[in-house]
Amino acid sequence: MIMTSKIMWLRISYWTAAIADFIIAFSVLIPERVGLTKFVYPMGLISVVAISWGILLLIADRKPIDRRWILIPTIIVIVLLSCVRIYAAINGLIEFSIAYIILGVFIISLLTYSYINSKSLVGKS
């Protein structure tokens, strides 16, 4: 039962981060959402990266314990994206939104908890 619960938290983390990636991938293609008036090449680049990372997280869900390491770089990416958002808001490039900060902290906390919580499962799969 405990093992199932820990695996469930890993899966919730993979899917939450993947869904967030897919949302980012499509919303970044809307110029007004990223403080621009028209499409620019870097928007397409980040969209492709976000879709690829989301797929990577869904693949990790197939072997949640063996691939739990993917949560570490995912946490780093979310921290960095949150920092970029704060920097852009401070410099007036985008509108500040406390909701996005809270969402970032929530996802970082969820992924960190899942990673730490599943440590005892390593080597038992």
Side-chain angles (χ1 to χ4, degrees), residues 7-106:
I7 292 171
M8 179 193 67
W9 280 109
L10 283 172
R11 289 200 158 130
I12 289 170
S13 293
Y14 296 140
W15 278 89
T16 301
I19 290 168
D21 276 331
F22 296 137
I23 290 170
I24 288 169
F26 293 107
S27 69
V28 77
L29 294 174
I30 303 168
E32 295 78 21
R33 302 245 334 133
V34 292
L36 299 172
T37 56
K38 63 180 182 172
F39 177 86
V40 293
Y41 180 65
M43 293 166 62
L45 294 176
I46 190 61
S47 180
V48 169
V49 170
I51 289 170
S52 299
W53 200 278
I55 292 169
L56 178 69
L57 286 159
L58 295 180
I59 291 169
D61 181 58
R62 302 299 296 153
K63 293 185 179 180
I65 299 166
D66 295 340
R67 297 178 181 156
R68 70 189 265 280
W69 62 268
I70 197 64
L71 292 178
I72 295 171
T74 304
I75 291 166
I76 293 168
V77 167
I78 297 167
V79 167
L80 293 173
L81 285 173
S82 296
C83 290
V84 167
R85 176 169 262 293
I86 292 168
Y87 178 81
I90 289 171
N91 287 297
L93 300 172
I94 59 171
E95 187 176 320
F96 178 79
S97 172
I98 192 68
Y100 284 117
I101 303 302
I102 292 170
L103 180 61
V105 169
F106 170 77

